Amino acid sequence: MEVDSFVSRRTSVDTPGVDSRVTGAAAGAEFRWLGGRLLDVTGTFVESLSPRMAGEQDFTPVLHRATSETSTSVESEMDYEGLPQGVATSTHMLAGAVAGIMEHCLMYPIDCVKTRMQSLHPEPGARYRNVMDALRQIVRTEGIWRPIRGVNVLAVGAGPAHALYFACYEKIKFTLSDAIHPGANSHFANGVAGCMATVLHDAIMNPAEVVKQRMQMFNSPYRGVLDCVGSMMRREGPAAFYRSYTTQLTMNVPFQALHFMTYEYLQELLNPHRQYNPSSHVVSGALAGGVAAAATTPLDVCKTLLNTQEAQAIHMIQAETTTAAGAVGAATASAHGSRHISGLGTAFRTVYRMGGMPAFFKGVQARVIYQMPSTAISWSVYEFFKYIITKRQHERRLRGDRDGDK
């Protein structure tokens, strides 16, 4: 993802009998689903949709066996923001894996354009005016499937990476929050949890990112994912898969910080009660992702250079080495592996020498266009799965309480 997620703990006062809110996105209209009710003893199941007026109770799915049981069934409230006590870690991992795969796969064509637009010395056939022009040219000249070439390796990496990310994030966030401010949200805990989760996420995603970006480059020499992996292992060794790992972490720490702070601020404005509100999650996630993406584009350009090892950039470094050290120095440099660009410092210098300051913002448009829907998808999918899981556990708990009262 450059999907990285943040869920703040509810800080509002709990109200018995009131479940999580669902707010519609169109013109402020709000709707509620009154579903899952047994309206009579015959067990007739009726679902209805009716507009909800201001001040009316929120979405409350309750199973009614008889009128006398109504008060019992609404005694305890479903706390959506924190998953129920005892929820297995696999719950977070499943929701996170689905969110990560959907986020990366749906936006993969834009990610392909971003990689190409960040090229420091693009070939004549890979020079584009904007994102839409790039997509049109790629499809017209290279085929309809070219923008999604390499998506399989990203899907394989995104599943476990996001599963670990969300599980680690939720565990550390709630543990630290309880220690710092019991029962309340802690920005410090959120930041620490995000940083720790990012370390695990990037450790899994970095090899997939390297292969993906090499497959996305114009005139990529690789026939497929396995050919790319095998070629890199033979020519560059295992270290090639983690050449940009420190740069990735350096980029994601400020990215996550900006993402979390912006998301939290927007949630305080749009969703102050921290309830399930699809429109607020989509809007907050998209804006937070866009702001963070634009600010960290220079680091993303450097990461792309380290991953793709662009030939023109390597030739420039070798030419500079030859000029500075003479023939003997050039031979020595070649023998000691100067044919690779390694390290964030070298990447920064190479980018600046090849394009000056504007080069650090190559592809910023594509990166923002990619990141905004990506974070919106990630947030909405994760929050939806979390809400559904929580709602079902709440309903099972209510049924258990009724059975116990018999």
Side-chain angles (χ1 to χ4, degrees), residues 31-87:
F31 297 89
R32 63 172 179 171
W33 286 93
L34 303 178
R37 294 190 175 183
L38 294 177
L39 297 180
D40 50 46
V41 293
T42 63
T44 303
F45 180 80
V46 179
E47 290 185 25
S48 62
L49 178 67
S50 61
R52 178 163 62 85
M53 303 301 294
E56 194 175 348
Q57 280 194 346
D58 298 326
F59 169 58
T60 315
V62 182
L63 292 175
H64 295 272
R65 291 179 60 87
T67 305
S68 60
E69 294 180 358
T70 302
S71 60
T72 302
S73 63
V74 296
E75 284 183 353
S76 55
E77 179 187 3
M78 181 182 73
D79 186 6
Y80 147 76
E81 284 300 334
L83 283 172
Q85 293 295 324
V87 170

Side-chain angles (χ1 to χ4, degrees), residues 28-291:
E30 296 182 322
F31 297 89
R32 63 172 179 171
W33 286 93
L34 303 178
R37 294 190 175 183
L38 294 177
L39 297 180
D40 50 46
V41 293
T42 63
T44 303
F45 180 80
V46 179
E47 290 185 25
S48 62
L49 178 67
S50 61
R52 178 163 62 85
M53 303 301 294
E56 194 175 348
Q57 280 194 346
D58 298 326
F59 169 58
T60 315
V62 182
L63 292 175
H64 295 272
R65 291 179 60 87
T67 305
S68 60
E69 294 180 358
T70 302
S71 60
T72 302
S73 63
V74 296
E75 284 183 353
S76 55
E77 179 187 3
M78 181 182 73
D79 186 6
Y80 147 76
E81 284 300 334
L83 283 172
Q85 293 295 324
V87 170
T89 301
S90 58
T91 297
H92 298 290
M93 297 182 75
L94 175 62
V98 174
I101 292 173
M102 289 188 66
E103 169 196 349
H104 286 286
C105 291
L106 290 177
M107 297 306 301
Y108 191 84
I110 307 299
D111 186 44
C112 176
V113 172
K114 176 187 73 72
T115 297
R116 292 195 177 193
M117 293 184 75
Q118 287 180 338
S119 174
L120 297 177
H121 194 275
E123 297 185 34
R127 294 176 181 175
Y128 315 111
R129 295 190 302 271
N130 51 52
V131 174
M132 293 307 300
D133 177 59
L135 284 174
R136 283 194 296 267
Q137 286 196 46
I138 292 173
V139 171
R140 186 176 64 252
T141 61
E142 302 175 54
I144 191 172
W145 300 112
R146 188 61 180 89
I148 60 172
R149 189 167 181 247
V151 68
N152 51 343
V153 70
L154 193 67
V156 170
H162 281 73
L164 281 179
Y165 179 89
F166 279 98
C168 177
Y169 177 80
E170 295 277 5
K171 179 66 174 178
I172 296 176
K173 180 186 70 173
F174 284 116
T175 301
L176 285 181
S177 292
D178 287 339
I180 299 172
H181 296 298
N185 178 52
S186 169
H187 295 292
F188 176 76
N190 297 331
V192 172
C195 291
M196 295 300 294
T198 298
V199 174
L200 290 177
H201 172 274
D202 289 356
I204 297 176
M205 280 297 290
N206 208 86
E209 282 280 334
V210 175
V211 176
K212 175 205 74 173
Q213 291 196 309
R214 294 206 179 194
M215 297 285 291
Q216 290 174 336
M217 292 296 289
F218 182 73
N219 282 339
S220 175
Y222 309 106
R223 296 188 302 272
V225 171
L226 294 180
D227 178 49
C228 180
V229 172
S231 178
M232 289 179 63
M233 287 291 292
R234 289 191 303 271
R235 298 178 181 180
E236 303 174 52
F241 294 97
Y242 283 93
R243 193 173 283 130
S244 65
Y245 182 55
T246 54
T247 303
Q248 180 91 341
L249 287 178
T250 304
M251 176 182 69
N252 278 340
V253 168
F255 179 93
Q256 294 290 1
L258 287 171
H259 180 201
F260 293 163
M261 288 187 294
T262 306
Y263 185 87
E264 170 68 8
Y265 174 74
L266 292 173
Q267 282 291 283
E268 289 176 356
L269 295 178
L270 303 176
N271 186 20
H273 297 293
R274 294 299 192 275
Q275 295 172 326
Y276 179 60
N277 187 323
S279 60
S280 76
H281 296 314
V282 170
V283 173
S284 299
L287 292 177
V291 170

Side-chain angles (χ1 to χ4, degrees), residues 317-339:
I317 291 178
Q318 290 176 339
E320 288 183 351
T321 303
T322 302
T323 302
V328 177
T332 304
S334 178
H336 287 81
S338 65
R339 59 183 178 274

Side-chain angles (χ1 to χ4, degrees), residues 2-26:
E2 289 157 327
V3 83
D4 308 290
S5 298
F6 165 75
V7 184
S8 78
R9 176 170 297 188
R10 172 183 297 181
T11 56
S12 59
V13 178
D14 288 340
T15 305
V18 180
D19 280 348
S20 298
R21 178 177 303 171
V22 178
T23 305

